[in-house]
Amino acid sequence: MRQFVKYVLCTFSFVFFGCQGGHKEVQEDAQQYEWYGLEVTASAYNSVSWQTDATPSLAAWGDTLSPDINSVAVSRDLLKLGLKRNTMVRIDTFSDTFYVKDKMHRKWRKRIDIYMGEDVKAAREWGRKKIQICYAVPIDSAAIKE
């Protein structure tokens, strides 16, 4: 019963806040996920040394950033909410799924940075805006059996 009430409340809140797909559990690669919604401030960044460092295509966890992989960086406070490395993220203004591949500087809170390759013009056009995201957190297999 508790699981059902949680499902109904989350479904309502996700629909109300505009998160695509609502709250749902999905089967993907034999792993189940629970989707959560969150409002964040989003900006964009590029693989250029003046925005990052001497290795602009190398992300915080050692991943190599590439324009053909939809990637985001997250502020470190979001790590505690489950937005860890390789977490799937849906952004309300994009139809594609993104993956957490990088971390932002410690000064930022409740923010994501959308990776836009070397296209500085596209990043500037994106600017900074408040958006809704949904992110997938793996469900503990022990919790499923409750």
Side-chain angles (χ1 to χ4, degrees):
M1 181 67 175
R2 184 175 52 155
Q3 290 275 3
F4 177 73
V5 171
K6 180 180 169 186
Y7 179 81
V8 170
L9 290 173
C10 288
T11 300
F12 174 76
S13 66
F14 278 72
V15 170
F16 180 74
F17 291 110
C19 198
Q20 290 181 353
H23 170 86
K24 61 183 173 183
E25 297 171 11
V26 295
Q27 188 81 19
E28 190 167 304
D29 297 329
Q31 175 70 52
Q32 291 190 358
Y33 296 90
E34 195 161 359
W35 288 87
Y36 294 92
L38 183 65
E39 183 180 69
V40 296
T41 300
S43 50
Y45 74 115
N46 307 101
S47 287
V48 291
S49 60
W50 57 270
Q51 286 184 20
T52 59
D53 60 16
T55 55
S57 293
L58 187 62
W61 285 292
D63 296 295
T64 301
L65 298 174
S66 172
D68 61 330
I69 299 172
N70 295 327
S71 305
V72 295
V74 297
S75 56
R76 292 169 191 249
D77 60 322
L78 298 181
L79 297 173
K80 296 173 195 159
L81 297 178
L83 282 147
K84 298 176 181 356
R85 181 177 184 234
N86 292 325
T87 298
M88 292 182 288
V89 178
R90 293 188 185 141
I91 302 171
D92 67 1
T93 56
F94 293 92
S95 60
D96 297 331
T97 298
F98 288 75
Y99 296 88
V100 175
K101 295 290 185 182
D102 207 354
K103 295 183 265 188
M104 298 173 75
H105 189 278
R106 294 185 191 284
K107 69 180 177 180
W108 300 116
R109 297 283 178 264
K110 214 169 177 189
R111 289 184 70 133
I112 67 167
D113 243 353
I114 301 167
Y115 178 68
M116 295 196 173
E118 293 182 6
D119 192 346
V120 175
K121 182 180 178 188
R124 286 186 175 147
E125 286 175 359
W126 172 262
R128 184 180 67 219
K129 52 185 93 171
K130 290 222 182 249
I131 60 166
Q132 289 289 325
I133 64 168
C134 291
Y135 61 98
V137 175
I139 298 172
D140 180 16
S141 59
I144 295 171
K145 295 176 184 177
E146 284 184 6

